[in-house]
Amino acid sequence: MAHQPVRLRPRRRKPLVRALSAATAVLAAVAVVAGCSSENSGAAASSASASGSSAAAAFPVTVTPANGRITVRSRPQRIVSLSPTATEDLYAVGAGKQVVAVDSNSDHPAGAPVTSLSGLTPNIEAIVKYDPDLVVASQDSGGLVAGLRKLGVPVLIEPAAATVDDAYDQIEQIGRATGHSAQAARTVAGMKSAIASTVKQAGTDHANLTYYWELGANPYYSATSSTFVGQIASLFGLKNIADKADKASDGGYPQLAQEYIVSAQPQLIFLSDNESSAGGQTPAIVAARPGWSGIPAVRNKEIIGLDDDVASRWGPRLPQLVAQIAQAVAKASDR
């Protein structure tokens, strides 16, 4: 899913909304710093190399991603990322200067070396042209791991996180594998602090607010509370209308009939299908859907166009997603 900032309508801001807006601004600034941190890490790495200490002394390193125990013999200097989330993680932990190529969907941070490489249908020959000493991907497609293992290139498979702790673990693991354990730990600590602060401000007892999380329209697909994004929304105690429609075969992502959504009367609608490649849905389009005018979220204009990228990834910008949800909760609670 291609997936970028939420535009909330102007209205009289109450204290909680103002506080959350300020928190969002701070998080945006933190994201910029994280994206630029690779420049400082490059200088730090050069210093460590000259002194023969720090990062150089930390290797070899053994980590255990989804594809089993992997040993990285020396600090990688040519990293290829085949996952948008992994790309964000790499830059956030300070390994940006070591990244020589990223896949075509890695659109953040700006300045990442985007190529035509694909994480869904990886071409080992094309990957090898970048002479990588570490490859990070979200899935082992097309014999990626076995093919690169034959060439002596370690691969970390970091799949979509099932829980928030999984997301933290992946960031720290990528930090260890690239020689940036300390900065990875700081990144995770900053995320935890920002999320905890936002949730505390917005509150966790909003079971009176029901919501519909839209992944796609025509047909309508949603995410239940058991999914990663569903767990994020659950931090605020929100009630998910998709939970009752979920079947074991859905894996937490049921297809909902339009009549079901209308009859469920959600008070909040979150759209993660805003971009044209993901459906191009907008609050205006949703409001114009036949039969939807009576839904409380539509009637009260509580349709939130999320940043598609942030909503579909599980990396260092996760606090921004939490802040977007918190703003919507605060606004709906003020009503």
Side-chain angles (χ1 to χ4, degrees):
M1 187 180 297
H3 318 286
Q4 278 181 3
V6 63
R7 304 285 197 274
L8 293 178
R9 301 183 328 283
R11 71 189 295 267
R12 185 170 64 86
R13 296 188 172 189
K14 298 192 177 181
L16 178 56
V17 178
R18 286 199 297 270
L20 290 171
S21 296
T24 302
V26 171
L27 288 169
V30 169
V32 171
V33 172
C36 297
S37 62
S38 59
E39 296 180 7
N40 294 329
S41 69
S46 297
S47 175
S49 177
S51 64
S53 61
S54 187
F59 288 85
V61 168
T62 298
V63 294
T64 309
N67 53 313
R69 287 170 60 86
I70 300 295
T71 297
V72 183
R73 300 295 176 187
S74 59
R75 186 177 186 272
Q77 301 299 322
R78 299 186 62 80
I79 303 171
V80 170
S81 172
L82 301 178
S83 158
T85 297
T87 298
E88 294 193 26
D89 288 349
L90 285 162
Y91 277 83
V93 304
K97 287 291 186 180
Q98 297 154 257
V99 177
V100 296
V102 302
D103 71 293
S104 59
N105 289 321
S106 288
D107 53 9
H108 185 86
V114 179
T115 69
S116 60
L117 294 176
S118 170
L120 299 177
T121 56
N123 182 317
I124 293 177
E125 183 178 346
I127 295 169
V128 171
K129 288 181 179 179
Y130 292 94
D131 191 26
D133 48 15
L134 178 67
V135 172
V136 188
S138 63
Q139 57 189 34
D140 183 13
S141 302
L144 176 68
V145 172
L148 290 176
R149 183 189 297 127
K150 293 178 181 178
L151 301 173
V153 180
V155 180
L156 305 184
I157 299 298
E158 305 288 2
T163 67
V164 177
D165 284 341
D166 286 345
Y168 296 148
D169 289 344
Q170 287 187 12
I171 292 172
E172 292 181 332
Q173 188 171 89
I174 287 175
R176 291 195 301 274
T178 59
H180 299 280
S181 294
Q183 187 160 333
R186 288 194 295 270
T187 297
V188 169
M191 292 171 65
K192 288 181 177 179
S193 177
I195 289 173
S197 177
T198 299
V199 173
K200 182 179 180 179
Q201 288 179 328
T204 61
D205 57 349
H206 298 286
N208 59 313
L209 293 178
T210 58
Y211 75 96
Y212 161 55
W213 191 287
E214 183 168 293
L215 297 174
N218 299 316
Y220 298 97
Y221 281 95
S222 189
T224 68
S225 298
S226 67
T227 65
F228 183 79
V229 292
Q231 290 175 45
I232 298 300
S234 293
L235 292 174
F236 302 96
L238 302 178
K239 186 175 180 180
N240 192 330
I241 70 163
D243 289 348
K244 290 183 179 180
D246 190 38
K247 302 185 296 294
S249 59
D250 294 328
Y253 297 96
Q255 178 179 331
L256 304 181
Q258 184 167 211
E259 294 76 15
Y260 176 89
I261 299 170
V262 172
S263 64
Q265 296 284 286
Q267 291 152 293
L268 293 167
I269 294 177
F270 295 104
L271 302 178
S272 61
D273 54 354
N274 299 274
E275 292 190 356
S276 57
S277 59
Q281 301 302 304
T282 66
I285 290 175
V286 172
R289 291 172 181 170
W292 287 54
S293 61
I295 296 177
V298 175
R299 188 172 60 248
N300 297 325
K301 298 182 179 180
E302 304 287 5
I303 307 171
I304 300 89
L306 298 170
D307 181 317
D308 285 10
D309 282 334
V310 175
S312 65
R313 299 175 190 175
W314 54 95
R317 290 192 290 169
L318 183 57
Q320 294 183 30
L321 175 61
V322 176
Q324 287 181 313
I325 297 172
Q327 286 182 340
V329 169
K331 180 172 172 290
S333 296
D334 286 345
R335 184 171 295 282

